Amino acid sequence: MKFKKLEKFPEGFLWGASSSAYQIEGAWDEDGKGMSTQDLPKQNVDGWVDWSKITDFKVASDQYHRYKEDIALMAEMGFKAYRFSIAWTRIIPDGNGAINKKGIQHYHDVIDELLKHGIEPVITMYHFDLPLALEQQGGWTNRDLIVPAFVKYAKVLFKEYGHKVKYWLTINEQNMVAMVGDILGMVSSDPKNRWKHMANLNHNMLLAQSYAFIYLHKMCPNAKIGPAPNICVYYPKSCNPEDFTAAKNAQSLLHWYYLDIAVRGKYNNIVWKFLKDNDALPEIRKDDFKVFKAGKPDFIAFNYYASGTAEKDEGDAVITHGDQHSMFDVPGLYKGAENEYLGKTNYGWAKDPIGFRNTFRELYDRYQLPLLVTENGLGTQDTLTADEKIHDDYRIEYLENHIKEMRNAISDGVEILGYCPWSAVDLVSTHQGITKRYGFVYVNRDEFDLKDLRRIRKDSFYWYQNVIKNNGNNIE
């Protein structure tokens, strides 16, 4: 639909950007922090990730020590919000024991610094960095350990920061943790029954999340909370009705499997049947669905980078490696396919700003909840010129096209709370290192040479500053 006149971005729209603790903070073993799964040496994933060629997260962008400088740069851009994660291992080093006062104080300091500059903190409770002590006891597959541990952690966060923080996110990209955890440097799937492993891990995450919904609403009635999956629209490869069904299957397995429980309190019927056929139903206990029904989100946050395309499985689909936006086959449901109408980034992800609008429409039509964009961006190599400039017109073009389609979605009647692309400052991409840069601010380091970690404003810094100044209404 083309409009004669576009709606404006609403007043109070949360313009900002995002990051995660392990990818940006560094200081991996300072001030009482415990070990997380991201602090371990990684196992190579054949044909996909060679961890020896990328940096680790021990220093990252050193935001732990430079948060005041980084927040001042965000304020200079005009940020209304900053979405970041808290490292579970800074708060409870072993995930389930004593509370670390220095970790508690650090995030008070970060939150206070944001509020001093008029920036709304948007906190992700868990972003891929499970405490190692919990992982060694089964992690997310050990229900009797992990659910109470996450609830304990949640209560500590809400007690300490709930009076300061209005917006909370539970688990970043839960769907990707379940489906491609090995690519993200986390625990590998059980090769004996991948789907059973996934189903139990995911069920436990859903339970932990629902308890977090319940306790935030009890402890902090003025705060709001939501899930933060990776979501996109899936297209059929052709007009063949079987390709249409394949695309719907992909959407069910990769998206509705997670959000239907979070919002509706029940499992998606397509995925439930798939799990049953594969002898992979999760362990269900007596009161689980009471918990799911009682815990309700106030909004849905989501990460969007690219759309997906699927075609029917003619019996030749095989489980292959993939990341968030590199399509992989799921035998019996769909095969991943190329989309001839879309270009690609340097890292092979489809560029589809119109798919961004379509994703807004599908999410809002299905769940009728406000939406918050918590990741969107172009990861690629940047060149620092001799006069210390970064001319990233390619990033500006990518973001401008997506913001344009977001404004179209608002004109479609979709309620959108804010836009926090990835990332405010360059950080270490999980399986592609510091070379794959996303930020508005360049961090002067390479994969294995830390240099001086100086912050340098990119051209996109000044462009985004102007977008925020105009509340996005200069983009049509």
Side-chain angles (χ1 to χ4, degrees):
M1 179 174 181
K2 292 187 177 180
F3 299 100
K4 294 179 180 178
K5 184 178 181 181
L6 292 173
E7 295 288 338
K8 291 185 176 182
F9 283 92
E11 293 299 318
F13 192 79
L14 296 175
W15 295 101
S18 295
S19 71
S20 83
Y22 77 92
Q23 292 174 267
I24 199 166
E25 284 183 351
W28 71 286
D29 62 350
E30 292 186 33
D31 292 338
K33 179 185 173 296
M35 288 273 286
S36 85
T37 52
Q38 297 294 349
D39 295 322
L40 289 178
K42 303 295 190 299
Q43 297 297 314
N44 286 345
V45 181
D46 291 341
W48 194 260
V49 183
D50 183 352
W51 297 100
S52 67
K53 295 182 179 179
I54 61 175
T55 186
D56 57 29
F57 304 108
K58 288 181 169 58
V59 176
S61 301
D62 197 34
Q63 192 174 85
Y64 187 80
H65 299 111
R66 300 167 183 251
Y67 70 89
K68 288 186 178 181
E69 177 185 1
D70 287 349
I71 291 171
L73 287 165
M74 297 176 206
E76 185 181 338
M77 272 189 281
F79 277 22
K80 309 302 179 186
Y82 177 45
R83 178 252 182 160
F84 64 101
S85 76
I86 286 179
W88 191 341
T89 49
R90 291 200 193 278
I91 304 301
I92 306 174
D94 66 359
N96 201 26
I99 296 170
N100 177 27
K101 291 183 180 179
K102 288 186 177 180
I104 293 286
Q105 186 57 51
H106 172 72
Y107 290 110
H108 271 299
D109 294 342
V110 171
I111 291 166
D112 290 346
E113 189 71 14
L114 288 166
L115 293 173
K116 184 177 81 173
H117 287 279
I119 300 172
E120 191 82 56
V122 179
I123 290 182
T124 310
M125 299 167 65
Y126 173 72
H127 195 128
F128 300 164
D129 51 353
L130 187 67
L132 181 59
L134 296 181
E135 175 58 33
Q136 290 171 336
Q137 300 172 72
W140 284 108
T141 61
N142 185 343
R143 171 182 171 143
D144 292 324
L145 169 77
I146 197 70
V147 175
F150 189 81
V151 170
K152 174 180 177 176
Y153 169 56
K155 287 181 176 179
V156 172
L157 296 188
F158 300 156
K159 176 178 179 292
E160 289 290 338
Y161 312 121
H163 62 294
K164 300 179 180 180
V165 177
K166 182 177 179 180
Y167 295 100
W168 294 84
L169 315 175
T170 50
I171 298 170
N172 181 73
E173 293 190 354
Q174 178 183 339
N175 47 344
M176 297 299 108
V177 174
M179 292 295 297
V180 293
D182 51 351
I183 299 297
L184 300 173
M186 303 176 65
V187 61
S188 297
S189 296
D190 183 349
K192 295 177 182 178
N193 191 333
R194 170 179 179 167
W195 305 120
K196 183 77 169 180
H197 176 94
M198 177 194 74
N200 281 319
L201 177 150
N202 186 55
H203 187 80
N204 297 339
M205 281 190 158
L206 289 166
L207 273 174
Q209 174 173 262
S210 290
Y211 278 118
F213 293 162
I214 291 167
Y215 282 108
L216 181 82
H217 290 143
K218 284 183 178 179
M219 297 173 67
C220 312
N222 295 322
K224 298 181 183 299
I225 191 166
N230 185 296
I231 302 291
C232 69
V233 66
Y234 279 88
Y235 304 119
K237 174 66 174 175
S238 73
C239 292
N240 184 332
E242 290 180 282
D243 286 353
F244 179 85
T245 302
K248 291 298 183 182
N249 288 342
Q251 197 86 318
S252 292
L253 179 65
L254 297 172
H255 300 150
W256 311 148
Y257 178 23
Y258 311 88
L259 286 176
D260 279 5
I261 280 281
V263 180
R264 298 174 172 176
K266 62 181 182 180
Y267 273 102
N268 178 269
N269 58 292
I270 300 299
V271 177
W272 189 261
K273 177 62 175 173
F274 172 76
L275 295 175
K276 186 177 180 180
D277 279 358
N278 284 275
D279 190 27
L281 291 176
E283 176 195 351
I284 305 290
R285 296 185 187 174
K286 180 182 176 182
D287 293 328
D288 287 0
F289 285 95
K290 289 183 180 178
V291 176
F292 292 145
K293 289 288 187 182
K296 294 294 183 185
D298 302 293
F299 61 92
I300 296 172
F302 74 102
N303 303 341
Y304 175 91
Y305 292 94
S307 58
T309 303
E311 61 183 336
K312 67 176 180 176
D313 172 18
E314 297 190 24
D316 57 345
V318 294
I319 296 176
T320 53
H321 280 302
D323 63 9
Q324 296 99 316
H325 295 296
S326 298
M327 287 294 293
F328 46 87
D329 301 351
V330 177
L333 287 183
Y334 66 88
K335 288 174 59 179
E338 295 290 324
N339 191 324
E340 62 184 293
Y341 297 99
L342 302 176
K344 288 187 174 183
T345 71
N346 293 341
Y347 286 86
W349 290 2
K351 291 192 286 188
D352 185 11
I354 295 174
F356 195 30
R357 178 186 185 182
N358 289 331
T359 301
F360 277 118
R361 289 169 65 151
E362 286 209 10
L363 272 173
Y364 195 68
D365 182 60
R366 188 175 182 91
Y367 298 114
Q368 293 292 299
L369 283 174
L371 304 176
L372 173 64
V373 181
T374 41
E375 290 184 31
N376 173 241
L378 178 67
T380 193
Q381 300 92 344
D382 288 331
T383 300
L384 182 65
T385 63
D387 59 349
E388 298 210 322
K389 306 290 184 184
I390 300 95
H391 301 303
D392 57 341
D393 292 348
Y394 40 85
R395 182 169 292 110
I396 292 171
E397 179 185 26
Y398 178 98
L399 293 170
E400 187 171 74
N401 287 338
H402 282 76
I403 292 172
K404 185 184 299 183
E405 295 301 333
M406 181 167 57
R407 188 172 180 187
N408 282 332
I410 289 173
S411 299
D412 289 329
V414 178
E415 185 179 357
I416 305 175
L417 299 173
Y419 179 69
C420 294
W422 193 260
S423 57
V425 173
D426 281 345
L427 40 68
V428 178
S429 183
T430 300
H431 60 280
Q432 287 153 332
I434 190 69
T435 304
K436 186 181 184 183
R437 297 176 182 269
Y438 284 90
F440 296 108
V441 177
Y442 185 90
V443 175
N444 191 38
R445 63 157 294 181
D446 293 333
E447 292 295 339
F448 301 107
D449 182 357
L450 294 176
K451 298 186 178 179
D452 58 8
L453 295 165
R454 197 158 30 93
R455 274 50 174 163
I456 302 169
R457 297 164 183 81
K458 303 180 187 181
D459 287 356
S460 59
F461 176 103
Y462 301 104
W463 168 83
Y464 196 45
Q465 183 184 58
N466 190 53
V467 170
I468 297 173
K469 180 181 177 182
N470 289 281
N471 198 31
N473 296 312
N474 59 321
I475 296 179
E476 297 184 358

